[in-house]
Amino acid sequence: MSPADLPPSAADLRSLVDLAGDAALDDLLRRGLDWVARLAPYDLATIFTLHDQALVVRAARGRLAGKVREHSLELADFPSLREALETRRARAFTEDDHRHGDGDPFDGVLDLPPGHACMVVPLHAAGRSLGVMTLDRTTCETYSQPVVELVETYGQILGLALENAEQRLTLEQLRQQEQQHARVLDAEVEVHGVLERSHSPAIQALAARARQVAVTDTPVLILGETGTGKERLARAIHRWSPRADRPFVALNCAAIPPSLLESELFGHSKGAFTGATQARPGRFQMAHGGTLLLDEIGELSVDVQAKLLRVLQEGTLDPVGSDRSVKVNVRILAATHVDLEQAIAERRFREDLYYRLHVFPLRLPPLRERLVDLPQLCAAMLAEQSQRTGRAGMRVSDAGLARLRQHAWPGNLRELANALERATIVTPGRVLGPESFEFAVRTASPAGQVSEPASAEGPQLTLDQAQAQHIRRALQRTHGRIYGPGGAAELLAVKPSTLQSKMKKLGIGRA
């Protein structure tokens, strides 16, 4: 027996599984079918992938392959294929099978003789049917049972490789979405004041400390009021780190319903809960090799905190509904506006998790403490917004800056961006003076306490404007949190889904 006739070695099988992470799926299937030829000779080997109740040819090899490239089947019309998927057992067909019309997948496409050799092998992994592999020969003989069993075992390996490839493709799609989101936010980092350009001594000192910790894998806890730019600082730390060419993944823990948060973090297997129709990687797996930002970490439930602590300590996680641990290599950044020490005293946050994260805290000052940066911030924000508003060359006059300095800025940089965009829309010229800003002037005491508006009278609002204002105030009071006790939905006495729908209609973000 020549080496080409030998079954694939253990090393071959390992490389087939590894290929799922490094090469295109079509190349994986081609190589897999080439290896099958060492176990069972064929004139046609085909991989059908399952899509709902249809089987579609994904790959074909052999001298007859060119005739079946775009072939597809309705599963209901082929009991033999359906049986293979349900029983997960390979089967060789006999002359009697053909005589009684069990159904040949290639009837009308290939002119194969009655009694020709054929085999159906199910492909499955992680409890999910992925499709079938079929082998056909024009000779009138039957594959022997030992060969069928050997190919069935090999089909399990091929199914695993196919599952790994699909998971990698899913991860890549999710990462591309994150990268697209990152490009938008990277622009915002520039817009909202690059740290090095700040004239504020507090920001300059913060930038220096952030650069120091960026080159390590030390966890960083970013503290600050809502809208101060915590995610932007996290992205800057990632860009300054050795992981800069790896994924940056962010998760706002306050924006995910508590019932789905564990799955969002750690992923889930198929059937783990109602609606889990397929396995899905979590944010930790998406960030493997890179950086994961857990924004608003103070909103995590105590149960999820315990599972997060295990991941930080051991570097492994258990997807929801899975009995297999997954190893991950992720640098953790956490951000919150919550007083975590008070949350610990109230038993809402684990003390051991706090000390695991509180290795290198960075506190972002609120905008009212860095008003010296207002001219640079306004210029950068207006330049970025010109792409949306079509109003290039806008600037804030000295009198306009003076009015902005009188405001308390409870929403910080996010509120400033919104104020500038509104002013740009309503101002006919290119200079934004004090009359361009619609908010009532508020003053801030040295301790940061906000006084009543200096002028309460304003233009009559439309119903949509009044609703939008009411919703924004609720979001401001809850720091952007919609779900759960004390969330904006509860505050407004509406369902969270209703509130989100209204926010989308009115163009409201979690400011």
Side-chain angles (χ1 to χ4, degrees), residues 251-444:
L251 175 66
N252 187 330
C253 302
I256 307 296
S259 59
L260 299 179
L261 194 51
E262 183 179 348
S263 168
E264 195 69 29
L265 275 172
F266 310 125
H268 63 255
S269 60
K270 179 185 177 183
F273 50 84
T274 302
T277 57
Q278 61 181 9
R280 184 177 185 273
R283 299 299 177 99
F284 268 96
Q285 291 157 282
M286 291 170 59
H288 182 68
T291 303
L292 174 62
L293 169 64
L294 299 177
D295 199 5
E296 299 301 349
I297 196 169
E299 303 297 334
L300 286 179
S301 69
V302 175
D303 289 343
V304 176
Q305 289 175 35
K307 295 176 181 179
L308 173 61
L309 181 62
R310 183 209 166 194
V311 178
L312 298 183
Q313 291 174 335
E314 302 176 12
T316 60
L317 58 85
D318 295 322
V320 177
S322 174
D323 57 1
R324 185 178 65 177
S325 295
V326 177
K327 194 166 186 64
V328 290
N329 172 20
V330 175
R331 198 262 179 92
I332 294 294
L333 306 178
T336 184
H337 71 277
V338 172
D339 184 339
L340 293 183
E341 292 183 353
Q342 180 180 345
I344 292 170
E346 297 172 355
R347 299 184 179 277
R348 294 185 292 108
F349 202 83
R350 291 178 62 107
E351 187 173 13
D352 47 6
L353 178 59
Y354 172 74
Y355 285 114
R356 189 79 185 184
L357 296 171
H358 197 262
V359 180
F360 200 97
L362 294 174
R363 185 177 296 276
L364 273 164
L367 179 56
R368 62 181 175 273
E369 295 179 10
R370 53 177 298 199
L371 294 178
V372 67
D373 287 333
L374 264 180
Q376 294 93 331
L377 291 170
C378 290
M381 290 179 179
L382 289 171
E384 187 273 336
Q385 291 173 4
S386 66
Q387 300 176 22
R388 291 195 303 274
T389 63
R391 302 290 306 279
M394 301 296 293
R395 67 179 182 86
V396 183
S397 69
D398 290 342
L401 288 171
R403 182 166 190 184
L404 294 179
R405 290 189 183 96
Q406 292 179 287
H407 191 59
W409 300 111
N412 294 292
L413 299 179
R414 191 178 296 124
E415 185 184 3
L416 175 61
N418 292 343
L420 289 170
E421 188 160 355
R422 286 195 301 270
T424 298
I425 294 171
V426 302
T427 302
R430 297 187 181 276
V431 179
L432 305 178
E435 70 285 350
S436 300
F437 300 100
E438 297 178 356
F439 53 77
V441 177
R442 297 168 182 253
T443 57

Side-chain angles (χ1 to χ4, degrees), residues 119-153:
M119 186 192 315
V120 174
V121 182
L123 303 177
H124 57 89
R128 185 162 70 99
S129 294
L130 304 173
V132 296
M133 173 173 60
T134 62
L135 305 181
D136 292 272
R137 297 190 72 186
T138 55
T139 57
C140 296
E141 61 183 51
T142 302
Y143 285 111
S144 67
Q145 189 59 30
V147 170
V148 173
E149 292 173 357
L150 189 57
V151 175
E152 179 182 81
T153 301

Side-chain angles (χ1 to χ4, degrees), residues 449-481:
Q449 299 295 322
V450 180
S451 67
E452 290 300 313
S455 60
E457 194 71 29
Q460 186 66 38
L461 300 178
T462 66
L463 179 59
D464 280 352
Q465 288 172 333
Q467 288 181 334
Q469 188 178 81
H470 193 51
I471 291 172
R472 287 192 178 98
R473 285 173 179 166
L475 290 169
Q476 183 177 316
R477 288 180 61 184
T478 62
H479 303 286
R481 187 157 59 90

Side-chain angles (χ1 to χ4, degrees), residues 7-26:
S9 67
D12 286 336
L13 296 179
R14 282 195 300 271
S15 68
L16 176 60
V17 175
D18 291 342
L19 180 63
D22 299 320
L25 180 57
D26 289 340

